Amino acid sequence: MSTTVLEQRLYSVADWYDAEALLTTEERAVLGRLRNFLDTEAKPLLAEYWERGDFPEQLVRPLIDLGIMEPFAAPARGIYQGFRIFELARTDASLATWYTAQAGLFRTAIRIGASEAQQKEWMPKVIDFSLKGVFSLTEPEHGSDIAGGLSTTARFETGVDGGAGPDGGSWVLDGAKRWIGGASTADVLCVFARDVADGQVKAFLVDRLAPGVSLEKINGKTSLRMMQNAHITLQNVRVPEAMRLHNVNSFKDVAAMLRAMRSDVAWIATGIQAGSFEAALSYAKERRQFGRSLGSFQLVQEKLARMLGNITASLSLVVRLTEQQGRGIYRDQDSALAKMQTSLFMRETVALAREVVGGNGITLASDVARFHADAEAVYSYEGTHDINALIIGRALTGDSAFTR
Ligand code: FAD
């Protein structure tokens, strides 16, 4: 491959088999503009905000104005959506996670859970970020076993007139949610709660400022420090029937959301690898030991080759999964496989990148340290390694090893 050809491509080295050839010229141009913004405006802030444990809110408006949600006629093509997440994650895992909280989790909740009329009202606002929402599923006592264990309750109360009231009556929510990403700046929390009447899981858009809702920032994180996660308590919180997602009638509907969202996380895990690999490669070319560049040593070249192999395999996985989903094929085991395997590759890639950078690889002055730390949260969220493996195992054997 000649240098000239490499320079023309958006992802030169990390996208070894040229998956970006699947993008249109227009899509590549938008990604190029996103890249410029991230390089000039975001990158200089990352180390400082990571250390402070703060999200650089000043990036939000310009990112929205760049049209990161839907720059073309909606819906954007899956492959372009994937590369958009890849580009963000290649810069920073918290930025990608912040973006997918709205563009992936919340939008998917509305797309799958809201009725046609509700979608008509909310979706344009979701897309232009004027209605910011978060996905509030995990609870303090229920993470991996949330499907059967979800214990936040929803109780329906009829209106004061004894009937359903003008808005169809209201619900009363009680319980707690944990780890909810982006909750402190959201307009609404999409809360999943169990209806005490029929025992089924339902979903509600809860005003973040509603009486009875309290948020506490989770401090002391060693991973994804820029992304804000909240512990949420719900006490006697009233939600009108109109704010219930009318197409969520059981956990099966939530599972359909998770199935669609997990592929986004696989794109994040792939983008993180690209970012850490590129940082390690450029360091290996510049840093000299024993009178030669690190990159000239055979053992370092082997590490670089393994990283590239991991990234190439990850990109092949997510591209193929995205193509399948574009054809309407959504299976639990498919997105679980992509999330599990790209996360395994990610863990190895970020560790190798950190190793190549030596002592400097544990300071925030090098990008590899941030990627290395942030990868741990991505490894665990939206289904841990074990849970995704068990989803695949269930599909392979027909025997569920983890559901009751
Ligand atoms: P646990 O379920 O307690 O698991 C602990 C360990 O035990 C894991 O290694 C797990 O794999 C293993 N384990 C559990 N059960 C089994 C089994 N049957 N067999 C074998 N091993 C098992 N949730 C949201 O709803 N919204 C969000 O926005 C959100 N954002 C997040 C952001 C971050 C940074 C993090 C860390 C989490 C976030 N989560 C969010 C929650 C996330 O999805 C959960 O952390 C995840 O599902 C795992 O649950 P847990 O942490 O309670 O671990």
Side-chain angles (χ1 to χ4, degrees):
M1 198 180 292
S2 78
T3 313
T4 342
V5 173
L6 283 177
E7 277 169 5
Q8 283 165 355
R9 286 175 44 195
L10 212 43
Y11 299 106
S12 57
V13 189
D15 174 14
W16 198 248
Y17 288 163
D18 197 11
E20 74 167 89
L22 298 167
L23 296 167
T24 65
T25 310
E26 195 185 11
E27 288 165 342
R28 291 177 76 245
V30 181
L31 287 173
R33 285 201 289 280
L34 177 59
R35 158 88 53 89
N36 282 342
F37 175 81
L38 292 173
D39 282 350
T40 54
E41 306 296 324
K43 269 195 182 158
L45 304 175
L46 299 176
E48 181 196 337
Y49 277 79
W50 196 95
E51 192 155 27
R52 269 171 35 187
D54 263 348
F55 191 82
E57 291 295 332
Q58 65 270 42
L59 297 178
V60 171
R61 193 68 250 168
L63 274 171
I64 295 168
D65 292 344
L66 265 174
I68 57 164
M69 186 72 102
E70 296 305 348
F72 316 113
R77 293 187 328 131
I79 191 75
Y80 165 72
Q81 291 181 16
F83 267 106
R84 192 165 48 186
I85 295 170
F86 177 85
E87 180 63 42
L88 285 161
R90 183 181 157 273
T91 302
D92 183 75
S94 286
L95 284 181
T97 303
W98 162 82
Y99 173 70
T100 53
Q102 175 81 0
L105 279 72
F106 186 50
R107 179 164 55 168
T108 304
I110 300 297
R111 181 171 63 77
I112 293 178
S115 67
E116 218 172 291
Q118 289 176 323
Q119 287 203 34
K120 217 169 155 197
E121 183 188 345
W122 294 330
M123 200 50 115
K125 297 182 190 165
V126 175
I127 286 174
D128 72 10
F129 282 72
S130 58
L131 179 67
K132 283 191 262 159
V134 288
F135 195 84
S136 313
L137 178 63
T138 306
E139 299 184 346
E141 302 305 326
H142 297 286
S144 301
D145 72 349
I146 192 70
L150 193 144
S151 65
T152 297
T153 57
R155 190 165 32 87
F156 186 73
E157 283 189 357
T158 51
V160 278
D161 57 359
D167 63 0
S170 65
W171 295 81
V172 182
L173 268 52
D174 283 285
K177 295 288 170 183
R178 180 138 183 99
W179 286 117
I180 309 310
S184 57
T185 50
D187 302 303
V188 290
L189 318 168
C190 178
V191 173
F192 297 89
R194 199 174 292 284
D195 183 352
V196 293
D198 63 9
Q200 297 299 336
V201 172
K202 307 214 161 130
F204 305 85
L205 294 194
V206 178
D207 187 332
R208 176 175 58 88
L209 302 173
V213 176
S214 62
L215 264 65
E216 196 186 320
K217 177 182 171 183
I218 298 180
N219 284 314
K221 287 194 302 169
T222 58
S223 180
L224 278 189
R225 283 181 55 76
M226 260 173 43
M227 183 69 192
Q228 306 299 300
N229 293 90
H231 182 106
I232 301 173
T233 312
L234 303 150
Q235 259 182 325
N236 235 1
V237 178
R238 291 200 165 264
V239 186
E241 162 64 10
M243 298 303 275
R244 181 173 71 79
L245 300 189
H246 291 154
N247 287 347
V248 179
N249 297 308
S250 75
F251 197 84
K252 275 199 176 126
D253 301 313
V254 184
M257 297 172 188
L258 295 172
R259 202 177 297 144
M261 288 159 9
R262 265 185 196 135
S263 54
D264 289 350
V265 184
W267 276 100
I268 293 181
T270 308
I272 287 173
Q273 293 183 67
S276 60
F277 165 70
E278 287 166 355
L281 177 60
S282 98
Y283 189 87
K285 285 180 178 170
E286 280 164 24
R287 170 88 171 164
R288 295 180 72 80
Q289 290 294 293
F290 301 97
R292 296 161 57 180
S293 72
L294 292 181
S296 71
F297 297 120
Q298 290 181 347
L299 292 176
V300 173
Q301 289 187 2
E302 190 272 346
K303 291 182 179 79
L304 293 170
R306 253 162 72 198
M307 286 184 239
L308 181 62
N310 287 347
I311 300 165
T312 308
S314 299
L315 258 178
S316 306
L317 262 170
V318 290
V319 164
R320 184 67 188 143
L321 175 70
T322 302
E323 284 173 347
Q324 293 271 77
Q325 293 186 337
R327 278 193 282 277
I329 304 167
Y330 281 88
R331 300 190 307 172
D332 288 330
Q333 59 270 33
D334 294 346
S335 46
L337 183 68
K339 202 274 166 168
M340 180 193 80
Q341 197 59 39
T342 55
S343 300
L344 277 177
F345 286 141
M346 169 184 68
R347 249 190 168 179
E348 183 179 71
T349 303
V350 297
L352 288 169
R354 198 221 66 69
E355 195 177 322
V356 164
V357 180
N360 290 334
I362 64 155
T363 76
L364 289 169
S366 78
D367 287 337
V368 297
R370 197 167 30 81
F371 285 120
H372 185 237
D374 287 350
E376 283 305 295
V378 177
Y379 187 74
S380 287
Y381 70 40
E382 285 211 40
T384 63
H385 170 82
D386 304 315
I387 294 306
N388 283 309
L390 295 176
I391 291 171
I392 299 158
R394 181 178 60 188
L396 288 172
T397 64
D399 214 348
S400 172
F402 67 107
T403 44
R404 280 175 274 167

